[in-house]
Amino acid sequence: MIYSLYILNKAGTLIYQNDYGPTEKLSHNAYIRLGSTFHSLHAIASNLSPAGSSSGIELIETETFKLQCFQTHTGTKFYIIADPNHPNLDETLQSIYELYTDYVLKNPFYEIEMSIRCDLFDYKLQRLLGD
Amino acid sequence: MIFNIYIFNKEGVCIYFEEWNKKKGSANTAEDQKLLFGMLYSLKAFISTSSPKPIDPKTGFHCYKTSSYKLHFYETLSGTKFIIMTDPNTPDLREDLKKIYSNIFVEYVIKNPVYQPNTAIKCDMFINHLNAYLKQTPAFNN
């Protein structure tokens, strides 16, 4: 079960958020705040590394969910919140990234680093994550 | 491989820190300690807001992982926090953190009559037992 997907641009601003499972709805501002918080946690975690240079947070495990994050070379971050037992979140994130390159970046009306409003992207994500 | 251990009291003061298998010089440990506590504080707030179901803020967070290390977290009911950093492939160490708390911390620190609560831990018995315990775990040197 995948609960939600967040996409942050390289500055840490939330550019996409959607829920796919039963989860409490928050206000739009709360989602933006969560996105920025994650961006800073990600940066601090890589700073705190006891073993040389490190990436930021890749996986958070908690009692009720698991958060898996994927950062592209250009700094865009994708993270999904899923059930703690959900397998292969890595692959799911790769597929989401492919959908993003195909239906967002190749969309001539999409302005880079701005919020994503592409119907085709929504539709494909729903098909990938919504069952 | 275990890199280090941090123990924070409920006010966020680091009362114990030790490192093993050191890879880089830690020039400003005190800064790191404050940064770590601050980060965990925000991380816990982040987790309780992000969680799809109600979550207990004390026991909810288990661990996080980056490309070069993994942080294991255990918080007692009284707010003392035990943190161990290991390499990313180590399995969950929260059971060990619980044992460190109940069998070593309580026995040799809390029950030590000359230990002032909420001050830095300098009890030899605690340090020796902690080292002995961690060094026999399979995670220590792998």
Side-chain angles (χ1 to χ4, degrees):
Chain A
M1 164 76 81
I2 288 180
Y3 293 110
S4 14
L5 164 74
Y6 293 72
I7 303 177
L8 310 179
N9 71 11
K10 61 170 177 268
T13 312
L14 187 73
I15 54 171
Y16 190 81
Q17 196 280 340
N18 206 353
D19 293 333
Y20 300 93
T23 169
E24 207 186 321
K25 279 269 170 228
L26 303 172
S27 73
H28 196 64
N29 273 332
Y31 289 123
I32 294 175
R33 214 156 39 228
L34 280 178
S36 322
T37 310
F38 183 76
H39 181 74
S40 357
L41 292 171
H42 190 270
I44 298 173
S46 91
N47 240 318
L48 277 171
S49 167
S53 69
S54 168
S55 73
I57 297 177
E58 285 176 348
L59 176 73
I60 300 178
E61 284 176 43
T62 75
E63 219 168 22
T64 53
F65 69 93
K66 183 157 98 171
L67 182 155
Q68 176 99 30
C69 172
F70 167 68
Q71 189 175 25
T72 68
H73 290 291
T74 48
T76 310
K77 279 193 273 290
F78 295 78
Y79 72 86
I80 39 185
I81 290 179
D83 195 75
N85 307 314
H86 195 96
N88 302 331
L89 285 176
D90 273 340
E91 286 165 29
T92 313
L93 279 168
Q94 281 299 327
S95 321
I96 295 172
Y97 183 39
E98 276 164 34
L99 293 179
Y100 169 78
T101 51
D102 283 344
Y103 299 102
V104 179
L105 292 185
K106 290 180 189 169
N107 181 337
F109 301 107
Y110 173 66
E111 265 186 84
I112 204 123
E113 309 291 330
M114 299 302 279
S115 319
I116 300 172
R117 284 197 192 87
C118 305
D119 289 343
L120 209 48
F121 181 60
D122 284 339
Y123 170 73
K124 293 279 175 182
L125 277 177
Q126 193 63 46
R127 282 229 318 225
L128 178 72
L129 308 172
D131 45 24
Chain B
M1 188 185 290
I2 296 180
F3 295 125
N4 52 31
I5 184 167
Y6 292 86
I7 303 176
F8 290 100
N9 69 9
K10 63 173 184 293
E11 273 97 38
V13 180
C14 182
I15 53 173
Y16 189 73
F17 170 75
E18 187 167 2
E19 56 189 338
W20 302 272
N21 303 313
K22 201 151 83 170
K23 276 201 180 159
K24 66 160 193 191
S26 42
N28 46 15
T29 356
E31 286 293 307
D32 278 0
Q33 288 162 1
K34 282 184 214 155
L35 188 60
L36 177 65
F37 184 82
M39 188 196 56
L40 290 170
Y41 187 87
S42 333
L43 187 62
K44 276 168 56 186
F46 171 76
I47 283 172
S48 43
T49 335
S50 295
S51 176
K53 293 173 204 143
I55 187 168
D56 180 351
K58 281 225 196 293
T59 57
F61 171 47
H62 293 176
C63 63
Y64 78 72
K65 198 157 99 171
T66 76
S67 64
S68 65
Y69 74 102
K70 181 170 177 181
L71 178 143
H72 309 255
F73 178 84
Y74 173 65
E75 181 169 349
T76 68
L77 288 176
S78 51
T80 312
K81 296 174 183 64
F82 291 77
I83 291 126
I84 277 189
M85 289 187 185
T86 66
D87 70 290
N89 303 317
T90 310
D92 199 359
L93 288 183
R94 287 190 326 128
E95 280 307 313
D96 294 287
L97 287 174
K98 264 181 220 171
K99 280 188 196 141
I100 291 174
Y101 167 63
S102 55
N103 301 347
I104 308 179
F105 183 78
V106 170
E107 289 299 320
Y108 302 110
V109 178
I110 301 299
K111 292 189 184 168
N112 181 340
V114 292
Y115 172 70
Q116 294 287 324
N118 295 331
T119 57
I121 301 172
K122 295 197 179 72
C123 318
D124 286 338
M125 286 282 270
F126 172 75
I127 298 172
N128 294 341
H129 278 87
L130 177 71
N131 271 278
Y133 180 79
L134 285 178
K135 282 178 183 161
Q136 57 81 35
T137 57
F140 189 77
N141 254 327
N142 286 340

